[in-house]
């Protein structure tokens, strides 16, 4: 695409837009937010844009993420399963964080569009269970950099929609996103782990208190993990963590491909295939209740949400 707007001009235009919005909406409670810039992150461009527009103009700083590259790249499946490749996009989040801290837009940073792969997504990966390794990792990673919103491109359309563009049946990523929405609260917790790089974990305060909710992502093709948790107490920096021993049953939601092949377009939740009911409703998505005294077991090439109601994280009180 050959068109490009200069950062200085864009900054001036957004000032005009903001003033127009204020003129059209007399009451602050009904005034729409002005977001920008809505493209891929370039440090110099973003800094110039915000220097020209100034503070108080842009309510939220938006940017796009399509870190898997072109949708027709035959190597996309390898990228989805490569932890070092998935980690590369963290440099973008770090850069955005610096800009946000400098100019302080009211609503912080937003990932306003993210489809994984460019040019409409990947016809061989985006609709499959495998895409969840990228997608749910991207739901978790931006949160750790204080990104406020993460938007999927799109609900329907192209290969990267959450719904099949022909049948409107939910793709596997739909169910992963729905669980995130139901379980993960807005308060993000710091996590450290001693594990294989193929094993990834993010933790938030549970959306419905009390407790914490975690998402575990196992990229390994042939290794499962048994997890025990520790809880660092305030003021104990540098001291050994206290092993957490729960008393209430854990709520676990294990996601895997129906056939065991991650290229499958049907996901199982706790071994139940996620297919629409006869009335075309979303099937029940109930947790498996697990004895708190047992380790959390994450199978190879699977994803799991776990909510622990009696885990006392100070930030979640």
């Amino acid at each position: 695409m050959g068109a490009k707007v200069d950062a200085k001009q864009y900054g001036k235009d957004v000032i005009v837009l903001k003033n127009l919005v204020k003129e059209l909406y007399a009451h602050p409670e009904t005034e729409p937010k002005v977001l920008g810039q809505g493209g891929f992150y370039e440090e110099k461009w973003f800094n110039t844009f915000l220097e020209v527009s100034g503070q108080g103009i842009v309510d939220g700083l938006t940017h796009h993420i399509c870190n898997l590259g072109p949708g027709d790249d035959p190597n996309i499946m390898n990228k989805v399963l490569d932890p070092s490749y998935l980690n590369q996009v963290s440099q973008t989040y770090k850069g955005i964080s610096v800009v946000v801290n400098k100019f302080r837009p009211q609503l912080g940073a937003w990932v306003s569009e993210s489809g994984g792969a460019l040019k409409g997504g990947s016809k061989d990966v985006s609709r499959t269970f495998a895409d969840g390794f990228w997608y749910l990792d991207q739901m978790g990673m931006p949160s750790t950099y204080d990104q406020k919103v993460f938007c999927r491109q799109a609900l329907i359309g192209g290969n990267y929609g959450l719904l099949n563009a022909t049948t409107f049946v939910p793709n596997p990523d739909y169910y992963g996103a729905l669980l995130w929405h139901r379980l993960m609260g807005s308060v993000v917790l710091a996590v450290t782990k001693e594990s294989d790089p193929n094993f990834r974990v993010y933790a938030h305060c549970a959306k419905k208190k009390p407790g914490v909710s975690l998402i575990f992502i196992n990229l390994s093709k042939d290794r499962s993990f048994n997890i025990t948790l520790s809880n660092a107490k305030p003021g104990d920096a540098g001291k050994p963590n206290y092993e957490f021993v729960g008393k209430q049953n854990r709520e676990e939601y294990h996601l895997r491909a129906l056939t065991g092949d991650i290229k499958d377009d049907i996901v199982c939740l706790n071994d139940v295939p996620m297919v629409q009911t006869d009335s075309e409703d979303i099937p029940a998505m109930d947790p498996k209740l697990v004895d708190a005294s047992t380790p959390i077991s994450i199978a190879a090439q699977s994803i799991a949400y776990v909510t622990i109601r009696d885990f006392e994280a100070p930030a979640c009180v």
Side-chain angles (χ1 to χ4, degrees), residues 128-142:
T128 70
F129 176 77
D131 197 62
F133 294 123
W134 161 79
Y135 181 40
L136 296 178
D137 186 62
Q138 281 305 290
M139 295 279 274
M141 186 188 298

Side-chain angles (χ1 to χ4, degrees), residues 36-292:
Q37 59 72 295
F40 294 108
Y41 173 67
E42 296 177 6
E43 180 181 1
K44 183 178 179 181
W45 200 103
F46 270 61
N47 275 280
T48 300
F49 160 59
L50 290 171
E51 285 170 356
V52 172
S53 61
Q55 293 190 11
I57 300 298
V58 175
D59 295 300
L61 183 64
T62 61
H63 66 107
H64 295 179
I65 293 293
C66 282
N67 55 310
L68 296 179
D72 57 0
D73 182 354
N75 195 41
I76 282 187
M77 183 64 76
N78 292 330
K79 291 178 178 179
V80 164
L81 296 173
D82 182 351
S84 62
Y85 186 88
L86 295 176
N87 287 341
Q88 291 176 17
V89 73
S90 66
Q91 296 305 313
T92 294
Y93 296 127
K94 290 177 182 177
I96 291 287
S97 294
V98 172
V99 175
V100 167
N101 290 335
K102 181 178 180 181
F103 294 98
R104 301 190 182 282
Q106 179 184 358
L107 303 179
W110 294 24
V111 179
S112 58
E113 178 182 315
S114 184
L118 293 161
K119 302 178 182 178
S122 167
K123 65 181 179 64
D124 298 321
V125 176
S126 297
R127 61 179 176 78
T128 70
F129 176 77
D131 197 62
F133 294 123
W134 161 79
Y135 181 40
L136 296 178
D137 186 62
Q138 281 305 290
M139 295 279 274
M141 186 188 298
S143 300
T144 66
Y145 290 96
D146 202 26
Q147 304 274 307
K148 302 300 185 182
V149 175
F150 187 93
C151 300
R152 172 73 174 235
Q153 170 76 353
L155 176 62
I156 187 167
N159 292 306
Y160 45 32
L162 289 174
L163 305 182
N164 183 294
T166 303
T167 65
F168 306 147
V169 170
N171 289 324
D173 280 352
Y174 178 93
Y175 294 102
L178 184 55
L179 284 173
W180 182 286
H181 170 71
R182 291 178 177 179
L183 302 175
M184 307 293 275
S186 60
V187 177
V188 184
L189 304 175
V191 179
T192 58
K193 62 184 178 69
E194 298 177 5
S195 188
D196 187 301
N198 287 305
F199 188 75
R200 305 166 83 81
V201 57
Y202 302 98
H204 291 207
C205 296
K207 189 167 186 177
K208 295 182 179 179
K209 294 183 178 182
V212 302
S213 290
L214 305 98
I215 181 170
F216 299 97
I217 302 170
N218 186 357
L219 303 173
S220 177
K221 184 177 181 179
D222 52 17
R223 184 180 176 188
S224 60
F225 293 89
N226 289 323
I227 309 303
T228 56
L229 301 177
S230 298
N231 190 8
K233 302 295 183 181
D236 286 332
K239 297 181 181 180
N241 289 347
Y242 295 91
E243 181 176 349
F244 169 75
V245 179
K247 296 181 180 179
Q248 297 183 28
N249 287 341
R250 297 189 302 267
E251 301 164 20
E252 299 190 359
Y253 304 79
H254 293 265
L255 301 172
R256 64 170 181 83
L258 174 64
T259 62
D261 183 349
I262 60 174
K263 296 179 182 178
D264 203 323
D265 60 1
I266 297 180
V267 60
C268 288
L269 171 61
N270 295 335
D271 295 327
V272 177
M274 291 289 99
V275 294
Q276 289 178 287
T277 65
D278 292 339
S279 58
E280 298 186 346
D281 290 328
I282 297 300
M285 300 178 69
D286 299 322
K288 177 171 65 173
L289 300 181
V290 181
D291 187 336

